[in-house]
Amino acid sequence: MSVPKVVTFAVASVDGRMAVSPDVLLLWGDARWQALGEASEALEWLKRTHQPQATLEGSGSFVREGGEPAPLPPFEGDREALHQDFLPEAVTQRPGHRGWFVVVDGRGRGREWIKDGAVFGQAWEGWHLLILAAQQTPDEYLDYLRRETIPYLVAGENRVDLRLALEKLGAKLGVTTVLSTAGGKLSGALLRAGLIDEINVEFLPGIIGGLDTPSLFDSPTLGPDERPAHLDLISAHVQLDGQVWLRYRVVSQ
């Protein structure tokens, strides 16, 4: 099966940090981060240019690491059926569908998901939540997703197999392009798996530092036989406020 094109976009400080500290969620923001400047129209330009049918985030963008999710009712039923892909026609065939908010949540940490993009305004009408899970995702969580009519795809055993998940997005839902705005851990995993086609980074004029502060690509150390990803510059946009937006094509990984 073919894999959809994956384009990444991130906003970072000049030293590659994506937040001001480890305990600040990417999607919550922070006054200290906002003081560095506001993001430009780069993300909107990428959406218009690439026309993605799915966006991609990791659960870490919504849930703090180490936080215990609210308990769910125990599941008593057919576990084998539960761990099959769940694509209810009420969602997949609904009128006006435009795209998927895809979240990798193999550990089943998310709760109280916002399912329909209409709550974010007209630009996101027709977009719907979809979860990427694994065979070891807790039964109670998959049962919760089914009760909430939240579609999910099962890919991988102990953790989400990103390549298989992307293949399923293409084969089962017709996704040809994914725009990932995920944090460093998921971006690093995508890069190591050779799944990224284009990298976009908008650098804000500031330095944050911090050994544990989330950075652009938090991936395992290269092994002795592994090479850095080689990039080809597509464009560089320098703005008056000191922000720089760099676009790269991934040549080899």
Side-chain angles (χ1 to χ4, degrees):
M1 290 187 288
S2 61
V3 177
K5 178 180 182 180
V6 176
V7 177
T8 68
F9 174 76
V11 179
S13 60
V14 171
D15 57 336
R17 301 307 196 266
M18 298 180 69
V20 294
S21 64
D23 61 338
V24 176
L25 292 174
L26 297 182
L27 298 184
W28 281 13
D30 184 287
R32 295 170 294 171
W33 177 266
Q34 295 165 355
L36 295 179
E38 296 183 0
S40 69
E41 295 296 315
L43 181 58
E44 294 304 316
W45 185 91
L46 288 169
K47 288 195 298 184
R48 291 194 302 269
T49 300
H50 291 288
Q51 295 292 305
Q53 300 88 35
T55 62
L56 183 63
E57 289 282 353
S59 62
S61 296
F62 305 90
V63 184
R64 283 193 176 93
E65 191 64 40
E68 287 295 326
L72 294 168
F75 173 74
E76 297 179 0
D78 185 352
R79 186 178 186 276
E80 184 175 351
L82 191 67
H83 285 258
Q84 301 297 316
D85 298 334
F86 179 59
L87 299 172
E89 291 187 0
V91 178
T92 60
Q93 302 299 322
R94 74 195 191 285
H97 172 77
R98 293 176 54 210
W100 299 101
F101 294 121
V102 180
V103 179
V104 179
D105 193 13
R107 289 183 285 168
R109 300 195 299 157
R111 301 288 190 273
E112 299 180 359
W113 289 110
I114 296 175
K115 296 183 283 186
D116 196 319
V119 300
F120 300 114
Q122 186 176 5
W124 293 108
E125 288 182 358
W127 289 70
H128 198 283
L129 177 68
L130 183 145
I131 302 295
L132 299 180
Q135 290 294 337
Q136 294 303 313
T137 299
D139 297 352
E140 294 77 10
Y141 183 64
L142 298 181
D143 183 46
Y144 155 73
L145 295 179
R146 288 186 176 239
R147 293 198 312 271
E148 293 292 322
T149 323
I150 297 175
Y152 62 81
L153 295 172
V154 180
E157 292 295 329
N158 295 322
R159 61 182 61 188
V160 175
D161 182 325
L162 294 173
R163 180 174 295 277
L164 177 57
L166 288 171
E167 289 175 349
K168 283 192 169 187
L169 283 172
K172 296 197 171 191
L173 297 171
V175 173
T176 60
T177 302
V178 174
L179 178 58
S180 174
T181 52
K185 289 185 178 179
L186 180 52
S187 294
L190 289 167
L191 189 69
R192 286 286 190 263
L195 295 171
I196 299 178
D197 297 279
E198 180 180 319
I199 291 173
N200 293 265
V201 183
E202 186 165 12
F203 287 103
L204 302 180
I207 300 289
I208 295 173
L211 296 178
D212 299 321
T213 305
S215 61
L216 285 170
F217 293 93
D218 288 329
S219 50
T221 302
L222 284 173
D225 297 325
E226 295 179 307
R227 294 181 177 274
H230 179 60
L231 309 179
D232 182 22
L233 182 66
I234 300 173
S235 61
H237 303 267
V238 181
Q239 303 177 60
L240 294 178
D241 55 7
Q243 295 178 206
V244 180
W245 169 26
L246 300 178
R247 295 182 65 206
Y248 288 101
R249 182 180 300 105
V250 180
V251 179
S252 63
Q253 297 180 56

